[in-house]
Amino acid sequence: MKASAPGKIILFGEHAVVYGRPALAVPVTQVHADVEVLDSSRPGVWINAPIIDLHAELTSLPSDHPIASVILKLIQLFGFSQTPGLEINISSTIPVASGLGSGAAVSVALIRSLSSFFFHSLSDDEINIIAYEIEKLHHGTPSGIDNTVITYNVPVYFIKGQPIETFKTGKPFTIVIGDTGIPALTKESVGDVRRLWLKDTHYFENIFNEIAQISLIARRSIENGQPELLGELMDRNHALLQKLTVSSPELDKLVITAREAGAFGAKLSGGGRGGNMIALVEQARAESVASALISAGAKRTIITEIS
Ligand code: MEV
């Protein structure tokens, strides 16, 4: 039984979203995690995930292993005392630790394929709850935005703990994604921001409020068909993310390069410190911005249309 799940980018509001502010995220279907569950004649649950160099039987993995924890959770949910022999093949084109939601996408695809394999149908709401539990195991204090946008595979205007809201795009717009190629764990940048916030809550709350304003205006601009207004909002959001200390010289370099190559605006996307940045571009300029990013050191680029 096969299932897949897309990657994602955060357009506006990362980090502030952990503190209850709104954020906007969209799925990126050019990259995806794919899982296949097959019957196996040998006993045990065998997992092959070449992307993380994993070839192992379930019981040989620690129970909090990101993949094992999903499988164990479902075995418990389905009420199995013993599982039949299974082979689980996991592949993904989403770079690991890059801010594109690779972990959440693997969890969602794995939950989907295992539940279909065992004829235990789960709604998107149920899948999202399980994927969020897994995110909490591995990312400390996640907002839940990654698992939500990836599970429902629609643009989301996300506020932690509130029912999922999607948003419509009045006019399509083009985003170039540039990967620094530097792996960075979201857990670490989220933990660092928390430490700073605990030390100087007032200052950081103000930054989160400014980011919240940007997310609100961005949603309105997207829905009103004025995506050209997003460029300046991205620049402002990036400056605030720098104040949160989650940018890096490599991210800043790609952001500046994108602007110099004609993007309307650019910012880091996701946890930061490494991983990806995004730039808003005129469609006709997407290729030239992408190649400027490669010349400035990006390991790869993706051009995606938000519509
Ligand atoms: C990660 O994609 C987005 C962050 O805001 C963390 C979170 O929301 O859980 C940095």
Side-chain angles (χ1 to χ4, degrees):
M1 193 58 69
K2 287 184 183 174
S4 69
K8 69 99 214 318
I9 45 171
I10 305 232
L11 294 177
F12 294 96
E14 53 274 270
H15 287 287
V17 69
V18 174
Y19 298 81
R21 275 43 167 217
L24 281 80
V26 292
V28 176
T29 49
Q30 285 95 334
V31 285
H32 38 87
D34 300 284
V35 175
E36 183 175 33
V37 179
L38 300 163
D39 268 320
S40 167
S41 50
R42 60 176 170 167
V45 176
W46 290 87
I47 307 156
N48 305 305
I51 24 153
I52 49 166
D53 214 9
L54 176 71
H55 303 276
E57 205 283 313
L58 179 63
T59 49
S60 72
L61 296 172
S63 60
D64 63 353
H65 181 280
I67 291 174
S69 56
V70 180
I71 301 170
L72 291 168
K73 180 113 213 134
L74 289 180
I75 290 176
Q76 184 197 20
L77 181 77
F78 299 159
F80 294 148
S81 50
Q82 224 185 344
T83 41
L86 289 182
E87 191 166 331
I88 302 180
N89 298 319
I90 301 172
S91 60
S92 174
T93 56
I94 311 172
V96 176
S98 72
L100 293 182
S102 67
V106 167
S107 297
V108 168
L110 192 50
I111 297 165
R112 285 224 162 93
S113 59
L114 278 167
S115 58
S116 313
F117 185 85
F118 288 113
F119 303 103
H120 191 113
S121 95
L122 292 174
S123 66
D124 279 351
D125 291 349
E126 288 168 318
I127 292 171
N128 194 32
I129 290 169
I130 301 169
Y132 185 41
E133 279 175 33
I134 302 295
E135 289 279 288
K136 281 193 273 192
L137 274 182
H138 305 295
H139 297 304
T141 56
S143 63
I145 191 169
D146 288 12
N147 48 279
T148 301
V149 64
I150 286 167
T151 300
Y152 296 91
N153 199 1
V154 291
V156 295
Y157 177 82
F158 183 87
I159 301 175
K160 190 175 169 180
Q162 294 201 5
I164 153 175
E165 261 185 80
T166 184
F167 62 87
K168 298 247 174 315
T169 35
K171 193 162 121 194
F173 55 95
T174 308
I175 296 281
V176 179
I177 305 170
D179 189 352
T180 60
I182 299 169
L185 294 176
T186 302
K187 186 181 178 171
E188 282 173 16
S189 62
V190 169
D192 288 350
V193 171
R194 182 160 298 270
R195 275 183 283 282
L196 291 170
W197 172 78
L198 284 171
K199 264 203 215 140
D200 195 347
T201 307
H202 182 71
Y203 175 74
F204 285 94
E205 282 289 313
N206 281 338
I207 295 180
F208 298 148
N209 286 340
E210 283 187 59
I211 295 176
Q213 278 305 315
I214 291 174
S215 293
L216 275 169
I217 303 169
R219 179 186 183 171
R220 213 178 304 137
S221 309
I222 293 172
E223 293 191 324
N224 291 344
Q226 296 172 299
E228 60 284 354
L229 301 182
L230 299 179
E232 197 206 318
L233 296 173
M234 281 189 177
D235 291 348
R236 278 170 48 200
N237 196 163
H238 186 72
L240 292 164
L241 287 161
Q242 286 174 320
K243 288 191 182 172
L244 295 182
T245 76
V246 295
S247 194
S248 70
E250 296 81 2
L251 281 165
D252 288 343
K253 183 173 180 198
L254 295 186
V255 163
I256 292 166
T257 301
R259 290 177 193 150
E260 286 174 353
F264 295 123
K267 64 182 275 295
L268 72 86
S269 177
R273 297 271 164 80
N276 281 275
M277 50 69 71
I278 58 174
L280 176 75
V281 297
E282 219 180 305
Q283 199 184 26
R285 271 184 194 259
E287 291 291 350
S288 62
V289 171
S291 59
L293 290 175
I294 295 287
S295 305
K299 294 294 167 295
R300 65 187 216 148
T301 59
I302 300 170
I303 297 172
T304 186
E305 185 85 353
I306 316 293
S307 56

